[in-house]
Amino acid sequence: MQCFTELIPPTAVTHALSLHFTSPTANNLVVAKTSLLQVFSLKTVSTELDTGLNGGKPPGEISQAAERRSLNTGGLEQSFLGADVVLQRSERAQTTKLVLVAEYTLSGCITSIAPLKILGSKTGAEVLLVAFQDAKLSLVEWDPDCYGLATISIHYYEREDLQRSPFAPDLNQIANILTVDPSSRCAAFSFGARNLAILPFRQAGDDLVMDDYGVPVDYDADMAEPQPDMNAKSSAKTNGESTSHSTPYMASFVLPISALDSNLVHPIHLSFLYEYREPTFGILFSTLATSTSLLRERRDVLCYTVFTLDLEQRASTAILSVTGLPYDLHKVIPLPSPVGGALLVGGNELVHVDQAGKTNGVALNIFAKESSAFSMVDQSELGMRLEGCTIELLGADTGEMLLILDTGELAIVTFRLDGRSVSGLSVRRVGSDKGGTVLKAGSSCVANIGRGRAFIGSEDTDSIVLGWTRRSHQRQRTGPENGTESEEYFDQDDTEDYDDDLYSGADPDGLRQSDSFSLGGPDFGGGKDEDYVFRVNDSLINLAPMKDLTFGKAMVIQGDEEKRDDRRVTADLELVTSRGHHKSGGLSVLKQELEPTVIGMFDFPEASNIWSVRAKRPVMKELLPHFSGRDALDVEGGYSLENEFDRFMIVSKTSAERGEESAVYALNPTGFEELQDTEFDPAAGGTVDVGTIGCGIRIVQVLKGEVRSYDGNLGLAQIYPMADDVTGAEPKVVSASFADPYVLIMRDDNTIMILECDDSGDFEEVESSQALKSRKWLSGSLYADSEEVFAQKGSQTNVHGAKKSILMFLLTVDGGLEIYTLPNFDSPTYTALSLGFLPPLLSAGYTARRPGTRAELTEILVAELGDSTAKSPYLIVRVANDDLTIYQPFHRSATEQDQSLSLTLQFLKISNPSLAKAYSSSVDLPAAETDTSSSPLRRLPDVGGYSTVFLPGVSPSFILKEASTTPKVINLRGKAVKGMSGFHTGGCEKGWVYVDVEGVVRVSQLPQGVRYADTGWSTRTVDIGEEIEALAYHPPTETYVIATSEKVDFELPKDDDYHKEWAKEDISFKPQIDQGSIKLLSPVNWSIIETYPLQPHEIALSVKTLSLETSELTHSRAPLIAVGTSHTLITDLPCRGSIYIFEIINVVPEPGRPETDRKLKLISKEDVKGAVTALSEVGTQGFLLAAQGQKCMVRGLKEDGTLLPVAFIDMMCHVSVTKTLPGTGMCVLGDAVRGVWFVGYAEEPYKMTVFGKSNSHLEVLAADFLPHENQLFIVVADGTCNLHVLQFDPEHPKSLSGTRLLHRTVFHTGHFPSTLTRIPTLSPQGTRSVPVASDAPPLPPQQTLLLTSRTGSLSILTPLSEPVYRRLSSLHSALTNLLDHPCGLNPRAYRAPTGAAAVNAMTGLGSDVLGGARGVLDEGLLRRWWELGTGKRGEVAARAGVRAEEVRSDLEVVAGRLGVL
C-alpha cells in the first residue's frame, strides 16, 4: 500500500525535433525527455555577449558586486542600502531563446519522434508522430481551440501474433526505429527483432487515382490493426466539392523485414531518403552477426540496400545495393540536395553513398584501416571516436554537417561535389577558441532550428541552443559603413526545397555540372575552421544522471547576526546529487523551498505590512536651465528621474497603545530613518496599499477611510475621502489595485470605486455606470495590456505610439468574471459566469452540466509572469484556503465573422501540484498573529530578474516562471508572512522586504546561481570537471567527499611475466580507461580543497561516512570515510579491489583560502579479492559491512590500521546493494543477477544468518527497507525500470516460515533507477489540513524512500495507511477512466510491469503478485484531480465514496513535502 510521487520530472533530453507545429508560420521545437513532451517556440532577443562563448545567465543570478555586498557584515546600511553602483559597457548580440508553449507528462517512454504533413489538420501545420517503447505509435496535432495536443490516432503493434518467433525477445528489450518519408507519404516503424510496419498517409492526389472517392479498401486479416470505420467521415465542403476522408492515414500493414530481401537477417538501421518520386528508404544490415572478436572472419560483412515502396500494391523493389562495408557502421543519415544520398556512420569512419551507389569514405582513426578493407580517405591523424556521436545538417545551402563527438567536441563534415556527384568528404575539428568545446559531454539528439541555430539535446549535460556565424569565402558582403566583410547567417527555412526525381536533369541550385567545388569554402580538407564560430544562446538544465546522493548541512557564511537569522529561514539539510558525464561532471544542490539570501534584518513587532516606493523627485523650475547633456535626459516635465532605486519605505503599524498608524522612512546611502518633517501623517491610520500613478510623479497611499496622494518629496497633494455624500455611509477600503492612470478601490461593503489621475497628477472618481456601482464584487484587478493579449482579434486598439490598454477584471459574488476595457464602464467586453467552478477550460459560454459546489473564491489577480526573455499575463485565482489556480489566456481560432472577444478568448488551467500549508506554520502561534487573510496577492515586476507574484499568509509562496518553463509555486522558507514588497536599492538590487508573524523584517534577495522554475525546487549546479562516481557528507567538518573519474590512455603492463609481447606494443591511438581519485569539497565556495589520487586504473565504487570503532580498548568511535574501489584491468585478468579508511583532520590553511583547513588522512587500506561494490555500517559495535566480490564480509578496524574480518556470508554473482536498518542488525543484500536476500547479523557470536530470499531472479540495482507500522517491506529497483515491493511475513503460509519474501506488487517507473534512500518525512501523514488536537500523543516518524534515476527525475515512495489507501485507490480508478490522457496512452498499462507474464512465471505466486495484489498508486494521476472543475471533483470524489475535503487531505499525504529539505 504505497504511492509513487514524482517530485522532479526527467531533465535528460532524449529526442528533439524542429517543425511548424502550432501554426503554419510558427517555428517550434519539440523536446522529449523520456516521458515528458515539451513544445517550445523560438524568440530572438538582444542579450549581453559573454566572452566565454556562453549565453545569458539565468534570472536568479545577480552581479558579483551585489554578491560582495551581500557578504558584507559591516552593518545594515552598508549591506543593503549602499550606493556603490558600477556601470559597465557590454557588447550585445542577437540570440535565440526557447519559450515554452506547453508540456505533457505521458504514460509511456518516448523512443522516437518525427514530423508529418497530413491533409485536414486543425492548424494547417505539421503534425507529430510519436513512437513509444512497446511498439506504439501516436499521431498528434496542435488543437488551437483548446490550446493543447489532440490525439488523431494511436497504432498498436504489440500483439502476440506479430511475434512470429517463440524465442524472440520482448519488445522493450529491442530499440525500435521510426522514420518518415520526407514527402509525408508514409512512415516506417521497425519494432521487435525483424518486424517492419508501414503506415501510409493520404495525399492530395490520391482522389484522382481512386475509383470510388472516400471508399476504403477491404479489411485485410493480416494487417497490424483493424481498418477504421470509413463510413463515419466528416462532411467538410470546399467550393462545392465532395466530402473528404475521415482519417488522414490508410490502413497500415506489417511484414517481416526478410520479406524485402532474404539476406536481411540482421537489420541495423534504416531511414527514408530524399529526392525520390516514390517512398524510398535505405537499410543497413548484415547477413552474419557482427562481432569484434571474430573480426578476421567477419570483417566487411555489412550491406546497404535502397528499396522503393509501392504503397498500393504493398510491394518493394531494390534499386541499388552496396556490399563490403565496414562492420561497425550503425546509422543511416539521409542527406537532402545538393549533396543527396545517405551518410553511413561507423565507430571509426564515415561513408557516403549517393543515389547511384557510388561510395566515398573517410577514416578518422588508425583502426578504420586495420578493421576494414573498404576504400577510404585517410584522416586518421584526427583520432576521433565516433561511438555515441550525433550529426546534423548545418544548412541546406552549404551541405556541411555538424559532428558532435561523445566527448562534446565539435567538428565539421564537408562534401566535395563534381556537378551533382560527391567526389569526396573531409572532417575538420572546430578549435576551442571558436566554440569547439562549449559542450562538455556528448549529445543525444540535434535539431536544426534555422537561421544558424541548432538545438543540441543531451542526457549527460545541459541541453543548449547553439548558434554559429560564418564569414563567407565565396561571397563577400560589404557593410553599409566601413565596407568590411560581414558575418553571414544561414537559415535553412529561407532556402527553397526541391524534391526532384533521381533521374531529373534539373539543377535546383543553379550550379554548372562541370563545376568542381567544395560546399563550405575552398579550404576543403585544409583543416581550417576560421569560418565557423559557435556560441551558446540558451540552455535547459539537466540533473542527470543521478548516480549517487547524500544529505548535507546547509552552509551559512554570513555574519553572526545574519547567521542567526538565516537559521530561521534555512533548512537543516540539503540534498546533493551527482550530475553529468566526463568533463560535465558536477553536483546538484537541491532544496524544496526558496531560501532567501538575507541582506539585513531587524525586529519590528508593530509592523503589519510594508511597501517600498519609487517616485520622481520634483525639480524647481528655476533650476531647469542648468541641466544639460546627460543631466537633461534625467529631467522630464520638471521631475528628476535620478536613478531607478526605491526612495521611501512605508510601514503600516499596529499596537495596543496607539492602534493602527503608518510611518514613512527614507532610504539613503547612510541608512534609513523615519521622516518627521513631511506632510505624511502617521496618525491617519493603517495603510491598506501604496502605489504610484501619473508616470511616477504621485505616491498614492490608500487608507481604510481615505486615499491620499503625495508628490516625490512627500508633499501632500490631495485627500480623497471614502464617505458617500448622498447616503453618508463610510465604507472601509479592504484592497486596491493600480494601473496608471487608474486606481481600483475595493471596499468592505463589496462595492468598488475607480479613481483616475489627470495630467497634473490629481485624481477624481470616474463616472461609471450605475449598474457597476450598485453591484457587489469580491475582488478586482487592473492590468495594463501592453501586448494586447486580451484585445479582440483584428482590432487596432494599440497602434504604434498609443497608450497601453487598461483592463479591469472583477470577480462577482457569484464567482463570475467580468472584464472591462477602460474607460468604457457601460458593459463588460468579456463575461465568464462560471469561474467559481474553476473549470479546466474557462470560456464565456461555459456552463457546468451539473451545478454543484462553487469554490470559495477570495481574490483574483492578473499579472505578468516570466523573466527578461518572455513575459505573459496569467489570471491567478485565490481560494479561501490559499490554494492557487492559475489560468493562461489564449485566443481560439474563429472565422472572420466571429471575432468578438467573448467567442475567441479562453483561459486554460495550468497544472499546479503545490498545495497551500494550512496549519503547519502556525500551530504554535496565537490566532491574532496568524490572521493574514487580509494580505492580498502582491504583484512584483522584478525580483532577481523574475516578474512574479507573491502569496502572503500562512503558506508564503512565490509564483516563478522562466521562458522555458511553466509557472511554479514555490514556498518561501520561514514563518507566515504578514506583508511584503519589492525592494530595489544600491545594496539590494531587485530584492524584496517582508515582515513575518514574529515581527521580524528581512531585506532579501534571490541567491546567486540558483534556479527555481526548471524543476520547481531550489536548484544550484556546481561544476567539478570530472565524472562523479560516489559522494558522502562528513558532518563534523561540514565537508563533502566525492569520488571522481576521468578518461586516461590505457597501456598494457610492460612488466608482465606471462605476456612479454606487451612490452613491444606501440600505438598512437590508445584505448581509454577510467582513472579515479578522492576529492575533498568545501561547501563554503564549492571548491576542491584536496585530491587523493588512486592507483592506476582504480576507481571508487562506493563512498560512505560511517561511525566506526577506532580502538579495541576504549571502544571509542569516530565518523570516518570508507571508500570501496575496483582495479579495472583487461578481461583476462582477475578483478581486485581495496577498502580505504580516511580521517578528515585539521591543518594549516593555504594563504588566502581559509576553507583549505581540512585534509584527508589515510588510516587504513585493505586489498581484497574482487571489487568492493558496496559499503555499510552494521550492528552496534561500529563494524563495517563490505561487499567484496561474491562475499559480504563484516570487518572491524584495529588499532594497527588493519580491517579484521569477523563474519561473512557467500553470495551468488555480483553484490550491488548492502543496506542496513540502524540498531537492528537487519541487512538487505542485493545481487545483480540472483535477487535480494534478507540477512540478520548477530554480535555474540559474530555471524550472519539468511532470514529470507526473493523467489525471483531480480536484476537488483538498488534496494532498501521500508518499515511501516508493524510491517517490514523491502523495495527493489531492477534493470527494467520496475519497483518490486517485497514483504517479510513469516506468518504468511506462502512465505514458508519467512524463508521466502512475499512479492507484493510491481510498479513500472519508466526511468532507469540509480539509488534508493530511506528518509523521514515532515510528519506521519504529511502536512494535513485537518487540525490535530494539542493533547494528542505524538505519532512515530514515517519513513519514505527517495528514488533517483539516470534520466534526472527524483521520486519518492510513500507508505499509506489502510483508510487513505482505500480512498485514493478508488479515486485512482475513477480518474483513469475519466481523464483524457495525452497521446491516447493507457496509464494503467504503463504502470504495469514490463513482461508481466514473465514476472508472473518467475515469482511462482500467481495472482498474489499481479492480479490480486494491491498495486502502487500513481500520484501523477491523482494530482490531475485538481485539473477538474469543482463540480466534477465532487462528483468523482462521491463516486469513490469520499468527500472532496478528504481527497485534498489525502493528497497532502502523497504530495512529497519533505521536512528535511
Side-chain angles (χ1 to χ4, degrees):
M1 298 183 296
Q2 297 84 19
C3 183
F4 178 83
T5 305
E6 189 175 75
L7 302 178
I8 296 179
T11 57
V13 175
T14 56
H15 303 85
L17 180 66
S18 177
L19 75 165
H20 306 288
F21 189 58
T22 57
S23 69
T25 58
N27 192 7
N28 297 116
L29 176 72
V30 177
V31 173
K33 301 177 179 178
T34 310
S35 59
L36 184 67
L37 190 69
Q38 295 178 316
V39 180
F40 295 93
S41 62
L42 305 178
K43 182 178 181 180
T44 302
V45 298
S46 177
T47 58
E48 291 187 5
L49 198 60
D50 188 7
T51 57
L53 298 177
N54 293 328
K57 296 180 180 180
E61 295 191 9
I62 57 176
S63 64
Q64 293 292 332
E67 176 66 10
R68 288 194 297 270
R69 288 191 295 270
S70 68
L71 300 180
N72 185 3
T73 60
L76 182 64
E77 58 275 4
Q78 288 89 355
S79 62
F80 68 94
L81 294 174
D84 52 333
V85 182
V86 179
L87 299 179
Q88 182 177 358
R89 183 180 299 273
S90 60
E91 185 179 356
R92 306 187 67 86
Q94 297 295 319
T95 59
T96 299
K97 299 291 184 178
L98 299 178
V99 179
L100 183 68
V101 177
E103 68 177 15
Y104 301 91
T105 300
L106 307 181
S107 298
C109 296
I110 301 174
T111 59
S112 185
I113 53 178
L116 275 170
K117 294 181 180 179
I118 62 172
L119 299 177
S121 64
K122 294 183 179 180
T123 60
E126 295 174 288
V127 299
L128 189 66
L129 188 62
V130 187
F132 296 93
Q133 191 175 39
D134 293 329
K136 299 183 184 71
L137 290 178
S138 290
L139 186 63
V140 296
E141 65 177 340
W142 184 259
D143 189 352
D145 293 337
C146 65
Y147 202 74
L149 286 183
T151 304
I152 301 176
S153 63
I154 184 169
H155 309 266
Y156 291 86
Y157 300 101
E158 53 183 348
R159 292 169 44 182
E160 294 184 0
D161 57 345
L162 297 178
Q163 308 301 315
R164 305 180 186 275
S165 174
F167 305 104
D170 292 338
L171 293 176
N172 60 348
Q173 297 180 1
I174 300 178
N176 50 45
I177 303 172
L178 174 65
T179 178
V180 174
D181 175 55
S183 300
S184 300
R185 291 166 291 193
C186 67
F189 185 54
S190 174
F191 65 95
R194 298 174 181 86
N195 293 324
L196 183 65
I198 304 297
L199 179 60
F201 293 94
R202 304 186 189 277
Q203 302 296 312
D206 291 346
D207 302 335
L208 303 178
V209 297
M210 296 180 63
D211 295 334
D212 297 321
Y213 180 75
V215 179
V217 297
D218 294 334
Y219 171 71
D220 189 350
D222 294 332
M223 293 180 184
E225 57 184 348
Q227 172 71 20
D229 185 10
M230 301 294 292
N231 294 324
K233 50 181 178 286
S234 59
S235 56
K237 297 283 186 177
T238 304
N239 298 329
E241 303 270 335
S242 59
T243 59
S244 62
H245 295 286
S246 61
T247 60
Y249 57 89
M250 295 180 286
S252 65
F253 54 93
V254 177
L255 48 88
I257 292 184
S258 58
L260 301 175
D261 191 333
S262 59
N263 294 325
L264 271 168
V265 182
H266 300 283
I268 299 175
H269 196 258
L270 66 114
S271 181
F272 278 99
L273 304 178
Y274 293 90
E275 299 182 285
Y276 285 92
R277 191 176 299 276
E278 298 294 334
T280 303
F281 65 89
I283 182 169
L284 187 67
F285 66 95
S286 65
T287 56
L288 297 174
T290 58
S291 174
T292 306
S293 59
L294 300 176
L295 190 57
R296 295 183 179 179
E297 290 77 14
R298 304 179 183 181
R299 194 174 187 184
D300 296 326
V301 296
L302 296 192
C303 302
Y304 174 74
T305 304
V306 177
F307 294 91
T308 181
L309 294 177
D310 188 342
L311 299 179
E312 295 183 3
Q313 302 297 326
R314 299 182 180 178
S316 63
T317 303
I319 59 177
L320 68 88
S321 181
V322 179
T323 60
L325 295 173
Y327 81 102
D328 58 347
L329 296 177
H330 59 271
K331 191 173 184 180
V332 179
I333 300 179
L335 302 178
S337 175
V339 178
L343 183 66
L344 309 182
V345 183
N348 306 310
E349 66 282 318
L350 297 175
V351 178
H352 177 264
V353 182
D354 64 6
Q355 293 91 336
K358 178 184 176 182
T359 61
N360 291 277
V362 55
L364 300 180
N365 57 55
I366 61 175
F367 292 107
K369 290 288 188 179
E370 295 182 4
S371 61
S372 175
F374 188 79
S375 176
M376 293 177 285
V377 176
D378 188 12
Q379 281 192 276
S380 58
E381 69 278 359
L382 294 176
M384 292 183 177
R385 295 175 172 88
L386 299 185
E387 291 84 359
C389 73
T390 53
I391 302 179
E392 178 60 33
L393 197 68
L394 283 175
D397 54 347
T398 65
E400 291 186 314
M401 306 192 75
L402 177 65
L403 171 64
I404 305 174
L405 301 179
D406 185 54
T407 59
E409 298 175 271
L410 304 182
I412 305 297
V413 181
T414 305
F415 298 90
R416 183 179 181 86
L417 293 182
D418 288 334
R420 296 199 61 186
S421 176
V422 176
S423 60
L425 69 158
S426 68
V427 179
R428 65 183 187 275
R429 291 182 183 271
V430 178
S432 58
D433 57 332
K434 305 298 181 182
T437 57
V438 293
L439 279 174
K440 302 301 181 182
S443 64
S444 58
C445 55
V446 186
N448 192 313
I449 56 180
R451 296 191 179 274
R453 304 291 186 265
F455 176 79
I456 302 178
S458 177
E459 299 180 74
D460 303 329
T461 185
D462 293 345
S463 301
I464 63 173
V465 175
L466 187 68
W468 61 86
T469 57
R470 181 184 179 186
R471 297 187 181 275
S472 175
H473 294 282
Q474 296 178 349
R475 293 168 299 185
Q476 304 223 348
R477 297 182 179 180
T478 303
E481 297 179 358
N482 52 12
T484 58
E485 186 183 21
S486 63
E487 292 183 343
E488 178 181 348
Y489 289 84
F490 293 97
D491 186 0
Q492 184 176 0
D493 299 332
D494 293 340
T495 59
E496 190 173 359
D497 186 15
Y498 292 93
D499 291 325
D500 294 329
D501 185 58
L502 171 65
Y503 306 104
S504 173
D507 187 7
D509 298 292
L511 304 175
R512 297 190 301 272
Q513 297 293 331
S514 59
D515 290 343
S516 175
F517 65 96
S518 167
L519 288 175
D523 54 342
F524 175 81
K528 298 180 180 180
D529 58 356
E530 290 82 357
D531 47 355
Y532 282 103
V533 177
F534 294 90
R535 186 179 299 276
V536 177
N537 286 196
D538 201 1
S539 64
L540 298 180
I541 192 173
N542 181 19
L543 307 181
M546 298 180 176
K547 285 188 174 182
D548 199 6
L549 66 84
T550 188
F551 290 90
K553 183 179 179 180
M555 177 61 64
V556 180
I557 59 176
Q558 281 93 351
D560 294 338
E561 181 182 4
E562 297 172 1
K563 185 174 182 180
R564 290 195 301 271
D565 175 60
D566 262 358
R567 287 174 181 171
R568 304 178 190 175
V569 294
T570 303
D572 296 332
L573 299 176
E574 57 189 7
L575 176 63
V576 181
T577 66
S578 61
R579 65 185 294 264
H581 271 307
H582 305 311
K583 294 182 180 181
S584 67
L587 299 174
S588 300
V589 184
L590 304 174
K591 297 180 182 179
Q592 204 168 15
E593 294 183 333
L594 189 151
E595 298 180 357
T597 298
V598 178
I599 305 300
M601 59 87 64
F602 53 92
D603 293 328
F604 205 152
E606 299 87 3
S608 60
N609 214 329
I610 193 168
W611 296 266
S612 62
V613 182
R614 186 183 315 166
K616 300 177 182 179
R617 186 192 304 270
V619 179
M620 299 178 61
K621 294 183 178 180
E622 55 268 17
L623 297 180
L624 289 179
H626 298 281
F627 288 96
S628 62
R630 181 162 182 170
D631 294 334
L633 298 178
D634 291 340
V635 179
E636 180 183 351
Y639 291 90
S640 173
L641 300 179
E642 292 185 340
N643 52 50
E644 297 183 356
F645 291 148
D646 296 337
R647 297 178 53 216
F648 303 107
M649 183 173 66
I650 299 177
V651 180
S652 179
K653 301 188 295 184
T654 303
S655 62
E657 296 80 8
R658 301 180 180 178
E660 295 184 354
E661 60 179 4
S662 301
V664 61
Y665 299 84
L667 305 178
N668 51 61
T670 61
F672 66 91
E673 57 182 355
E674 185 174 0
L675 297 179
Q676 302 291 343
D677 299 331
T678 65
E679 298 181 8
F680 186 89
D681 185 9
T687 303
V688 176
D689 207 345
V690 176
T692 59
I693 60 174
C695 299
I697 65 175
R698 286 288 187 268
I699 301 174
V700 179
Q701 180 193 16
V702 181
L703 304 173
K704 290 186 177 181
E706 60 188 18
V707 178
R708 296 188 172 205
S709 69
Y710 304 87
D711 59 20
N713 288 330
L714 291 180
L716 183 62
Q718 187 180 6
I719 299 178
Y720 200 97
M722 289 292 105
D724 193 337
D725 297 336
V726 179
T727 62
E730 296 182 358
K732 301 299 181 182
V733 178
V734 295
S735 65
S737 180
F738 300 87
D740 205 359
Y742 297 98
V743 181
L744 173 63
I745 306 295
M746 302 295 302
R747 300 185 285 196
D748 58 357
D749 59 351
N750 291 338
T751 60
I752 64 173
M753 174 184 287
I754 305 171
L755 304 178
E756 183 180 5
C757 175
D758 56 19
D759 295 337
S760 63
D762 297 333
F763 51 78
E764 296 182 357
E765 184 178 359
V766 176
E767 293 296 332
S768 58
S769 64
Q770 188 64 30
L772 191 64
K773 288 184 177 181
S774 61
R775 296 179 61 184
K776 302 297 182 180
W777 311 95
L778 288 179
S779 179
S781 176
L782 296 180
Y783 174 70
D785 190 12
S786 59
E787 300 296 332
E788 298 295 333
V789 176
F790 299 97
Q792 179 177 329
K793 279 191 172 183
S795 63
Q796 301 294 328
T797 58
N798 191 14
V799 296
H800 181 69
K803 296 182 179 180
K804 299 178 181 179
S805 299
I806 306 300
L807 302 176
M808 180 172 64
F809 296 76
L810 295 177
L811 176 65
T812 66
V813 292
D814 296 329
L817 174 67
E818 295 187 6
I819 303 177
Y820 292 83
T821 302
L822 304 188
N824 181 15
F825 300 96
D826 296 333
S827 61
T829 57
Y830 183 86
T831 303
L833 301 177
S834 301
L835 178 61
F837 294 103
L838 299 179
L841 190 65
L842 177 65
S843 62
Y846 176 84
T847 55
R849 294 183 179 179
R850 298 180 181 178
T853 305
R854 293 176 181 263
E856 188 179 351
L857 307 184
T858 59
E859 186 181 0
I860 62 171
L861 177 67
V862 178
E864 289 185 343
L865 299 177
D867 54 15
S868 59
T869 299
K871 300 176 184 179
S872 55
Y874 288 84
L875 171 64
I876 303 171
V877 182
R878 185 179 183 181
V879 191
N881 60 0
D882 279 351
D883 284 341
L884 298 179
T885 302
I886 306 174
Y887 281 97
Q888 179 183 6
F890 71 96
H891 289 271
R892 61 182 297 269
S893 59
T895 61
E896 295 182 359
Q897 293 79 14
D898 299 330
Q899 293 289 337
S900 63
L901 197 64
S902 59
L903 295 178
T904 59
L905 180 62
Q906 295 185 354
F907 295 85
L908 177 66
K909 184 189 292 187
I910 303 299
S911 175
N912 175 27
S914 177
L915 300 179
K917 301 176 185 178
Y919 292 90
S920 59
S921 297
S922 57
V923 66
D924 298 329
L925 297 176
E929 295 185 0
T930 60
D931 185 15
T932 56
S933 59
S934 59
S935 300
L937 293 170
R938 188 61 56 91
R939 183 191 295 140
L940 302 173
D942 192 356
V943 172
Y946 291 98
S947 180
T948 179
V949 170
F950 181 77
L951 168 68
V954 179
S955 181
S957 306
F958 281 96
I959 306 178
L960 298 178
K961 181 187 182 303
E962 294 182 12
S964 58
T965 67
T966 58
K968 301 290 195 312
V969 179
I970 304 177
N971 293 333
L972 176 67
R973 177 78 63 180
K975 301 292 183 179
V977 174
K978 294 191 293 186
M980 73 91 64
S981 173
F983 194 86
H984 183 55
T985 65
C988 182
E989 298 180 10
K990 301 180 180 180
W992 74 93
V993 57
Y994 69 101
V995 55
D996 62 15
V997 292
E998 294 181 344
V1000 180
V1001 177
R1002 295 181 178 89
V1003 178
S1004 308
Q1005 283 180 324
L1006 290 179
Q1008 182 185 14
V1010 180
R1011 304 182 65 162
Y1012 300 94
D1014 303 275
T1015 60
W1017 284 43
S1018 172
T1019 305
R1020 180 194 298 272
T1021 58
V1022 180
D1023 293 331
I1024 302 298
E1026 297 181 13
E1027 186 169 350
I1028 298 179
E1029 305 291 343
L1031 68 154
Y1033 179 73
H1034 192 254
T1037 59
E1038 297 183 351
T1039 55
Y1040 291 90
V1041 180
I1042 58 176
T1044 64
S1045 66
E1046 59 180 345
K1047 295 293 184 180
V1048 296
D1049 291 338
F1050 175 77
E1051 294 183 359
L1052 293 172
K1054 306 298 184 182
D1055 55 350
D1056 191 275
D1057 297 334
Y1058 298 97
H1059 299 277
K1060 301 294 185 181
E1061 69 278 6
W1062 288 358
K1064 302 178 182 179
E1065 184 186 31
D1066 183 19
I1067 59 174
S1068 59
F1069 190 65
K1070 299 177 182 179
Q1072 291 191 322
I1073 196 171
D1074 290 325
Q1075 173 63 52
S1077 62
I1078 309 298
K1079 299 180 184 297
L1080 194 59
L1081 180 70
S1082 172
V1084 175
N1085 52 9
W1086 298 103
S1087 62
I1088 302 297
I1089 59 179
E1090 196 204 359
T1091 300
Y1092 182 89
L1094 298 178
Q1095 295 182 8
H1097 314 148
E1098 183 181 16
I1099 59 173
L1101 301 180
S1102 179
V1103 177
K1104 298 294 181 183
T1105 300
L1106 307 177
S1107 179
L1108 301 181
E1109 183 181 274
T1110 57
S1111 174
E1112 300 175 278
L1113 301 177
T1114 62
H1115 300 288
S1116 62
R1117 300 172 65 170
L1120 303 177
I1121 302 297
V1123 179
T1125 67
S1126 172
H1127 296 262
T1128 306
L1129 297 175
I1130 55 181
T1131 57
D1132 60 346
L1133 295 180
C1135 183
R1136 58 186 178 89
S1138 300
I1139 302 176
Y1140 293 83
I1141 304 297
F1142 292 98
E1143 180 185 5
I1144 301 180
I1145 61 175
N1146 294 326
V1147 296
V1148 178
E1150 299 176 6
R1153 297 189 62 190
E1155 71 276 3
T1156 59
D1157 58 345
R1158 303 286 191 269
K1159 186 176 182 180
L1160 291 171
K1161 177 184 177 182
L1162 180 65
I1163 63 176
S1164 177
K1165 178 186 178 184
E1166 190 78 16
D1167 294 331
V1168 297
K1169 294 181 179 179
V1172 182
T1173 56
L1175 297 172
S1176 179
E1177 185 180 345
V1178 65
T1180 60
Q1181 298 179 351
F1183 285 176
L1184 168 71
L1185 174 62
Q1188 49 188 72
Q1190 297 178 341
K1191 293 181 182 293
C1192 285
M1193 189 170 296
V1194 179
R1195 293 176 176 268
L1197 180 62
K1198 299 179 65 176
E1199 293 185 357
D1200 59 356
T1202 60
L1203 293 173
L1204 178 66
V1206 297
F1208 73 94
I1209 186 172
D1210 288 321
M1211 299 294 288
M1212 300 298 293
C1213 298
H1214 176 81
V1215 183
S1216 56
V1217 177
T1218 61
K1219 292 291 182 68
T1220 60
L1221 204 57
T1224 63
M1226 292 185 290
C1227 312
V1228 56
L1229 308 178
D1231 194 293
V1233 179
R1234 306 291 293 183
V1236 65
W1237 295 13
F1238 178 40
V1239 179
Y1241 167 70
E1243 296 176 344
E1244 294 183 3
Y1246 297 117
K1247 66 176 181 178
M1248 302 188 74
T1249 305
V1250 178
F1251 291 157
K1253 299 181 181 179
S1254 60
N1255 192 42
S1256 57
H1257 294 171
L1258 300 177
E1259 186 182 353
V1260 181
L1261 298 181
D1264 208 338
F1265 290 102
L1266 184 60
H1268 179 61
E1269 296 177 348
N1270 59 347
Q1271 298 174 322
L1272 181 61
F1273 297 95
I1274 299 175
V1275 180
V1276 178
D1278 67 5
T1280 56
C1281 306
N1282 294 329
L1283 284 182
H1284 301 261
V1285 180
L1286 311 178
Q1287 183 183 6
F1288 176 71
D1289 187 2
E1291 298 180 358
H1292 196 282
K1294 289 188 178 181
S1295 67
L1296 303 180
S1297 300
T1299 59
R1300 175 181 295 177
L1301 298 177
L1302 299 178
H1303 207 146
R1304 287 305 188 188
T1305 187
V1306 185
F1307 181 83
H1308 185 68
T1309 64
H1311 307 290
F1312 196 81
S1314 56
T1315 64
L1316 270 175
T1317 307
R1318 186 179 65 258
I1319 60 173
T1321 54
L1322 182 63
S1323 66
Q1325 290 295 346
T1327 306
R1328 302 301 298 274
S1329 55
V1330 179
V1332 181
S1334 59
D1335 57 349
L1339 296 176
Q1342 177 174 304
Q1343 303 289 324
T1344 60
L1345 286 183
L1346 188 65
L1347 173 67
T1348 61
S1349 70
R1350 296 299 182 98
T1351 61
S1353 67
L1354 186 69
S1355 311
I1356 62 170
L1357 189 69
T1358 307
L1360 304 177
S1361 62
E1362 181 69 22
V1364 174
Y1365 180 83
R1366 287 183 178 180
R1367 292 193 294 265
L1368 293 182
S1369 180
S1370 301
L1371 180 66
H1372 192 276
S1373 300
L1375 292 176
T1376 302
N1377 301 324
L1378 175 66
L1379 295 174
D1380 183 19
H1381 305 289
C1383 295
L1385 300 174
N1386 185 359
R1388 184 181 288 112
Y1390 173 59
R1391 294 306 185 184
T1394 56
V1399 174
N1400 196 22
M1402 286 190 300
T1403 57
L1405 297 180
S1407 60
D1408 290 339
V1409 179
L1410 301 178
R1414 309 182 73 178
V1416 177
L1417 302 179
D1418 183 9
E1419 190 271 343
L1421 181 62
L1422 295 172
R1423 183 192 309 163
R1424 297 189 62 190
W1425 183 72
W1426 292 106
E1427 298 180 8
L1428 305 175
T1430 54
K1432 201 66 175 179
R1433 288 184 208 164
E1435 180 182 340
V1436 174
R1439 190 182 307 172
V1442 295
R1443 295 181 294 111
E1445 294 79 7
E1446 292 179 317
V1447 173
R1448 187 193 185 280
S1449 180
D1450 293 338
L1451 289 179
E1452 287 184 84
V1453 178
V1454 298
R1457 185 171 293 155
L1458 307 177
V1460 296
L1461 300 177

